[in-house]
Amino acid sequence: MSVRTRFAPSPTGYLHIGGARTAFFNWLLARRHQGEFILRIDDTDEARHVEDAVGKILEGFAWLGLGWDEGPEFAEHGGGSRGPYYQSQRSSLYEAAIVDLIRRGHAYPDVTPPEETELARKAAEAAKQPFVYRGKDRDIAPADALVLYESQRPSVRFKVPTGQTTVLEDKVRGRVEWQTDLLGDFTIARTGGKPLYNLASVLDDIGMEITHIVRAEEHLSNTHPQLHLFEGLGAKPPVFAHIPYVAAPATKKKLSKRNPPPGVMVAIEEYQKAGYLPAAILNALGRLGWSLDDKTELMDVELMKANFSLERVIASPAGLDPDKMFWMQDHYMRQLTRDQRVDLMLPFLVDAKLIADPVPEEARRIVEHIDQACGDRLKLLADIVRYGSFCFAPTLEHDKEAAKNLRKEGVASALVQIRNAVAHAEPFDLATLESAIQKVGAETGMGGKINNVVRAAVTGRTVGPGVFDCLVLLGKEKSLRHIDQSIQAFSVDAPTS
RNA sequence: GGCCCCGUCGUCUAGUCGGUCUAGGACACAGGAUUUUCAUUCCUGCAACACGGGUUCAAAUCCCGUCGGGGUCACCA
C-alpha cells in the first residue's frame, strides 16, 4: 500500500512556521515513498473562521513549493477521489458515523448541560484531581440511546472501556502507554450534532486512507482517545509519529503567534516579505528536529526528499535558529543566477514604490548592475531596497551614520574637491574615478578614508556596494547632483576651517 | 495538580540499540590574515554529556531517583 500523509490546518489565516514544518515532514515522507500528500481543511469550528483564511494558507504552500495531490483546489474540479476536503462539507459522513457508533454501543447521548460538566471540571481542577468524566447514561441500551439521540440531539460521548491500558507505538516517541481510567468519556459531538475534532479527524483519516500521521507532539494526548475511535469504527489505526514542537529561539517554549519573542517571525508570509528564499526556509525547517547525518547542514529539497525518514527525527523540542536560517539564506542566494535574483528582487523595489510597476527595461539594467556591484552583500531579497534606493529614490536621504560622517571636520571642503574630481572624471569609469578620488584623498590628507565620505555623500549610507560602482551606477550627472545636495545639507553645520 | 514527553557546547545538533568520544559538525562569538566601506574568504580559539545513585571490565549511551524544562487535561483544532 502506498504511503498517504496529510496536513490538516484549521483556517486561521496564516501558515505558522511550525505548521509549515509539520506539513513539510508529511510532504517529505509521502514524496520519499512515492506516496500522496493530502491537504484537508479542519474547519468544523465556525467560530474560528477567518475570511480568506484558506487562501492565505494555500498561498503559503504555493510559495514554499509544497504541492499536494489531493485537497481543496481539486475539490472544485471533482478531483481527489476521497473528498470533499473541507470538514464543513462532510457533515453527512460524520452524522452517519455517530449513529453507527451509538447503534453499536460505542457511544451514547449525554443530556447533561455543558454548564454542569464545566462545573465538575472546575471542581476537579480546584481539588487538583484529574477530571475524568463519564455520563450518567453511559450504560443505556443502544436502542434507547438512538431514540434519545434522534429526538433531542444532545451531545454524544464515546464510551471508553474502563480498566484497560492502551498502547501507542509511536515512530519517534517509542512506546507510550495510557490508562483508560484516566481518559473518561470524551465528547465526539456537541449538542445539535456538530462533530468535534477527534471524531472528524479520525473519520477523515479513515475515509482518506491516511497511512501515516505525522504531527506535533501537542497532539500526543489526543492520540489515545483517537485510538479508541479507530477501534470503535472498526478501522486499523495509521502509523503515528509525534514530532517535537517548534520552540522559540533559545527556549524550550512552543513558538506561538500570540506572543512571539521580539524580532522572531512566525508566519511564513513574514519570511517571504523579509526576502527569504523558499529553499532557505525549507532547509531550515528540514533541520528542525531532523538531520541527514552528523555533518550535513545544507540540504536542498531534492536531497531531503531522497533521504527523509522518521527514524532520524529527534524527540526533544526543536528550537528555531534564526542565525542559522540567515546563514542558509546567504547560501541559497549565491546559488541563484543574476537573472534569477533580479527577477525575485524587482517586486521588492516595486512594493517600495521605487520603480514603476511594469518594470522599465532601464530599471532592470540598473538592478542588474547593483546586483553585480553588491556581490554577496545581498543576503535577503529585500536588501535591494536598502542598497539600491539611492539609485531610484527621488531625493537623496542620509541615514544617521552617513550624516555623522559628513559632519566631521574638514569634510565640507573635501566634498568640494570630490565634486571637482567627479566632474572632471573622463571617461566616467571605475579606474578613472578611483585614481581621481585617491588623488583627493592624498591632497586632503584623508587617505583611504575619503571613500567613506564619497559613499556617504553619494548614497546617503555608510555601507553598500563599492564606492566607485555607486558613482558609475548613478552616472556623472546624478552623482554630481547627489554630491551637491550633500554639500548643501552639511556645509552649514560643518566647521569653516 | 494529574497524566505524558523531553534534558549533549551560548544556539541547532551528531552520537547506528555500552568500547579510540581525551564527545564530532554547523551557526554564533572572540582573535589574526586578506579587503581603502560593508560583505566575503582563510586560519586559530572558546565552549557541552543537568545532578545523584546503581548495572558493567567499560556508560553521554541501560535502570532508578532528584532537579529542571515543556506539552496536555473543552460541547477548540
Side-chain angles (χ1 to χ4, degrees):
Chain A
M1 184 163 68
S2 84
V3 169
R4 289 173 61 82
T5 64
R6 47 77 161 176
F7 181 62
S10 61
T12 50
Y14 62 93
L15 183 54
H16 187 285
I17 184 110
R21 199 278 304 257
T22 302
F24 186 41
F25 279 19
N26 275 287
W27 183 89
L28 283 171
L29 188 66
R31 291 290 172 264
R32 168 84 169 81
H33 299 283
Q34 287 81 43
E36 289 87 46
F37 173 63
I38 291 109
L39 203 54
R40 178 214 305 159
I41 307 300
D42 278 14
D43 57 353
T44 49
D45 184 14
E46 310 95 348
R48 281 200 182 187
H49 190 73
V50 179
E51 196 53 39
D52 195 35
V54 174
K56 288 278 190 193
I57 290 171
L58 299 189
E59 274 171 35
F61 274 88
W63 180 69
L64 286 172
L66 302 180
W68 56 97
D69 305 296
E70 292 171 34
E73 72 177 23
F74 293 89
E76 296 162 19
H77 310 292
S81 53
R82 294 146 182 107
Y85 295 92
Y86 284 88
Q87 290 191 331
S88 55
Q89 294 169 16
R90 298 172 68 83
S91 307
S92 58
L93 295 168
Y94 307 139
E95 173 70 23
I98 291 167
V99 171
D100 183 51
L101 284 170
I102 294 175
R103 180 178 298 133
R104 294 191 295 116
H106 282 120
Y108 61 92
D110 182 21
V111 294
T112 313
E115 300 76 35
E116 200 174 305
T117 50
E118 177 64 14
L119 235 50
R121 197 177 68 89
K122 289 241 171 75
E125 194 176 309
K128 296 187 191 307
Q129 290 295 310
F131 176 58
V132 180
Y133 181 86
R134 293 208 166 86
K136 297 184 250 331
D137 298 329
R138 76 188 304 261
D139 292 319
I140 190 173
D144 298 335
L146 222 44
V147 171
L148 183 56
Y149 174 70
E150 299 291 4
S151 62
Q152 286 187 243
R153 310 281 293 177
S155 67
V156 180
R157 286 180 182 271
F158 187 86
K159 191 172 168 181
V160 176
T162 57
Q164 291 185 10
T165 300
T166 45
V167 177
L168 164 69
E169 289 293 347
D170 191 275
K171 279 297 212 180
V172 344
R173 307 277 142 187
R175 186 187 179 88
V176 181
E177 298 185 355
W178 217 284
Q179 304 297 323
T180 57
D181 288 344
L182 260 18
L183 232 44
D185 292 343
F186 56 92
T187 309
I188 58 176
R190 11 145 100 103
T191 305
K194 282 261 161 45
L196 251 22
Y197 170 73
N198 276 146
L199 203 233
S201 178
V202 167
L203 235 29
D204 292 344
D205 288 334
I206 294 171
M208 293 175 189
E209 298 176 62
I210 302 303
T211 61
H212 299 252
I213 293 180
V214 179
R215 53 166 35 161
E217 74 169 286
E218 54 257 39
H219 283 286
L220 193 55
S221 56
N222 276 146
T223 309
H224 285 83
Q226 291 179 191
L227 247 18
H228 286 103
L229 236 16
F230 275 106
E231 200 188 329
L233 261 5
K236 181 173 170 282
V239 173
F240 284 94
H242 287 90
I243 63 180
Y245 58 86
V246 175
T251 74
K252 298 291 182 200
K253 282 191 176 50
K254 200 167 79 171
L255 182 60
S256 83
K257 174 78 176 173
R258 284 264 165 274
N259 48 345
V264 176
M265 299 181 280
V266 178
I268 288 297
E269 192 185 0
E270 296 177 83
Y271 287 89
Q272 182 180 6
K273 283 196 175 128
Y276 274 91
L277 259 15
I281 302 295
L282 255 18
N283 193 154
L285 292 182
R287 285 289 291 123
L288 233 44
W290 181 76
S291 60
L292 175 63
D293 54 31
D294 61 341
K295 51 176 74 74
T296 308
E297 297 287 344
L298 297 168
M299 308 177 289
D300 60 31
V301 178
E302 289 307 314
L303 185 64
M304 290 188 270
K305 235 160 80 173
N307 293 283
F308 182 79
S309 73
L310 257 16
E311 280 67 39
R312 289 191 65 82
V313 174
I314 57 168
S316 50
L320 190 64
D321 190 341
D323 283 336
K324 203 168 229 177
M325 187 188 274
F326 186 72
W327 171 74
M328 287 169 173
Q329 164 72 7
D330 179 44
H331 170 77
Y332 289 103
M333 277 294 266
R334 295 178 195 221
Q335 303 297 110
L336 299 176
T337 63
R338 170 118 54 236
D339 270 349
Q340 290 173 318
R341 261 199 309 277
V342 171
D343 283 339
L344 292 168
M345 290 189 297
L346 250 16
F348 283 84
L349 288 167
V350 172
D351 281 353
K353 303 248 189 304
L354 288 170
I355 60 178
D357 195 350
V359 178
E361 196 43 41
E362 172 67 10
R364 191 194 163 88
R365 269 199 298 278
I366 293 173
V367 174
E368 279 168 6
H369 191 165
I370 297 172
D371 180 76
Q372 178 258 312
C374 280
D376 46 32
R377 289 176 189 83
L378 289 164
K379 305 288 189 197
L380 297 165
L381 294 171
D383 285 340
I384 190 65
V385 174
R386 204 151 51 96
Y387 291 143
S389 64
F390 74 95
C391 287
F392 300 107
T395 56
L396 178 67
E397 278 171 28
H398 301 83
D399 65 23
K400 238 175 94 191
E401 285 301 305
K404 205 172 120 193
N405 273 0
L406 291 172
R407 264 193 270 274
K408 281 184 182 156
E409 197 172 331
V411 166
S413 61
L415 277 178
V416 176
Q417 292 186 56
I418 289 167
R419 190 199 189 281
N420 253 320
V422 171
H424 292 104
E426 199 61 51
F428 202 72
D429 62 18
L430 253 35
T432 313
L433 286 162
E434 181 163 2
S435 67
I437 298 292
Q438 259 174 4
K439 214 171 127 207
V440 179
E443 285 167 12
T444 56
M446 296 178 98
K449 289 210 166 67
I450 195 74
N451 288 357
N452 298 338
V453 177
V454 177
R455 177 191 307 283
V458 172
T459 70
R461 299 282 144 92
T462 50
V463 298
V467 214
F468 310 112
D469 278 304
C470 291
L471 288 164
V472 173
L473 262 165
L474 280 175
K476 183 182 282 189
E477 193 195 329
K478 278 184 97 175
S479 294
L480 289 174
R481 210 187 315 151
H482 283 195
I483 295 170
D484 286 338
Q485 279 178 35
S486 294
I487 290 176
Q488 222 164 33
F490 295 96
S491 59
V492 183
D493 295 341
T496 43
S497 63

